Amino acid sequence: MFFVVSKLFWLVAQPISIVLLLIVLGSLLVAFGRRRLALAVLVLAIGVLGLASLTNFGAVIIRPLEERFAVPVLPERVDAIVMLGGATVSRISGARQTVAMTDAGERLSTTLWLALRFPQARIVLSGGGGLLSAEGESEAETARRFFVGLGIDEERLVLEGQSRNTIENARFTQSLLAETGGTTVLVTSAFHIPRSVGLFRAEAVSVLPWPTDFRSTGKESFGFDLADLGRNLDTTSTAMREWIGLTVYWATGQIETWFPAP
């Protein structure tokens, strides 16, 4: 139920949806003769869209998430590498039998680098489809194709293809890691590390966070950014979703602290 509610909530809470809903509301107000209120609502819609796409607002608010955990010093030994889903597009990958990557594709390359650096480590690929429908193959299966295709021994791979969100990533990999001692590295996007670490801690799984797929330079100060409006909008949406996720998970008792730290 939590998974379904979270998906439906984000369907209307992301910036582009907010803008569309405000436009619809403004149009209805015009139809009912409330022109001044309609104008205010439409101006608000323009303001939200402008803030999310014409400025670096997204990079500014995603920066604290990305800087919460630094890339660690390379350990002497790693016994398991857990890569969370989100790096591939299930429907396209399954239909084309390829590896269609999202903007988070760096999770795959970072995990590959660690796998080559620590050839004794098991590689746990955690990720189902992440969609309300069961369409497409699991992200774990797509990742398997990626690693095997690049020469990683398939016997090293442990597939967890049932999880639909980060809560289930942590819960379902806990049993897979029960027999693994030593150091377990957790690979996911830098903005996703705080929430992921909080959820793995809740499952009593000790991990060494390895952030990748950074969306900010770490030097942002708020201002206009007209280089890539679509990317600005996407970064804003990603940052908002992560901050909302942290707040909801903390409020519902699924993580112990609102903003998990090292």
Side-chain angles (χ1 to χ4, degrees):
M1 180 60 72
F2 182 86
F3 170 75
V4 174
V5 170
S6 66
K7 289 294 183 181
L8 293 177
F9 172 78
W10 186 242
L11 184 63
V12 299
Q14 56 189 303
I16 192 65
S17 296
I18 293 172
V19 171
L20 290 173
L21 289 172
L22 287 172
I23 291 174
V24 170
L25 176 59
S27 300
L28 290 173
L29 288 170
V30 169
F32 284 97
R34 304 294 299 275
R35 295 184 180 277
R36 288 187 178 180
L37 184 57
L39 179 61
V41 170
L42 293 175
V43 168
L44 179 60
I46 294 171
V48 171
L49 183 60
L51 180 67
S53 62
L54 298 176
T55 75
N56 65 349
F57 176 71
V60 170
I61 64 174
I62 209 171
R63 177 179 171 182
L65 292 163
E66 295 190 330
E67 295 185 340
R68 193 63 164 175
F69 289 81
V71 176
V73 176
L74 197 67
E76 293 184 2
R77 178 182 174 87
V78 168
D79 297 278
I81 305 165
V82 178
M83 188 195 80
L84 302 189
T88 60
V89 184
S90 298
R91 285 179 290 191
I92 297 175
S93 297
R96 300 286 186 177
Q97 288 298 288
T98 184
V99 182
M101 298 184 191
T102 67
D103 285 347
E106 195 175 340
R107 299 185 192 187
L108 290 165
S109 60
T110 298
T111 301
L112 177 63
W113 178 76
L114 288 167
L116 295 173
R117 177 63 180 81
F118 300 102
Q120 77 284 351
R122 290 199 304 165
I123 307 166
V124 180
L125 307 174
S126 179
L131 303 172
L132 287 174
S133 67
E135 185 181 358
E137 67 183 13
S138 71
E139 294 183 83
E141 174 59 27
T142 306
R144 182 203 64 79
R145 186 182 301 118
F146 173 84
F147 289 108
V148 171
L150 289 175
I152 297 298
D153 187 349
E154 192 162 2
E155 292 185 358
R156 296 178 61 190
L157 304 179
V158 180
L159 273 60
E160 184 288 293
Q162 300 301 312
S163 57
R164 301 168 298 173
N165 55 24
T166 313
I167 297 173
E168 294 181 353
N169 286 144
R171 186 173 300 154
F172 295 164
T173 56
Q174 191 270 348
S175 59
L176 298 177
L177 295 169
E179 299 179 0
T180 301
T183 301
T184 296
V185 170
L186 176 65
V187 179
T188 189
S189 299
F191 63 81
H192 190 227
I193 285 284
R195 182 158 56 101
S196 300
V197 168
L199 290 167
F200 272 81
R201 285 174 179 171
E203 296 294 330
V205 179
S206 178
V207 294
L208 176 64
W210 202 286
T212 188
D213 175 38
F214 289 85
R215 308 294 175 92
S216 70
T217 65
K219 301 177 182 179
E220 284 82 6
S221 57
F222 180 74
F224 285 100
D225 182 359
L226 306 179
D228 192 337
L229 307 191
R231 186 168 185 82
N232 290 345
L233 182 60
D234 180 69
T235 302
T236 301
S237 297
T238 299
M240 285 179 58
R241 183 176 65 245
E242 205 60 35
W243 284 115
I244 292 171
L246 279 169
T247 303
V248 171
Y249 283 15
W250 171 71
T252 56
Q254 297 183 80
I255 56 177
E256 292 185 358
T257 58
W258 174 64
F259 196 17

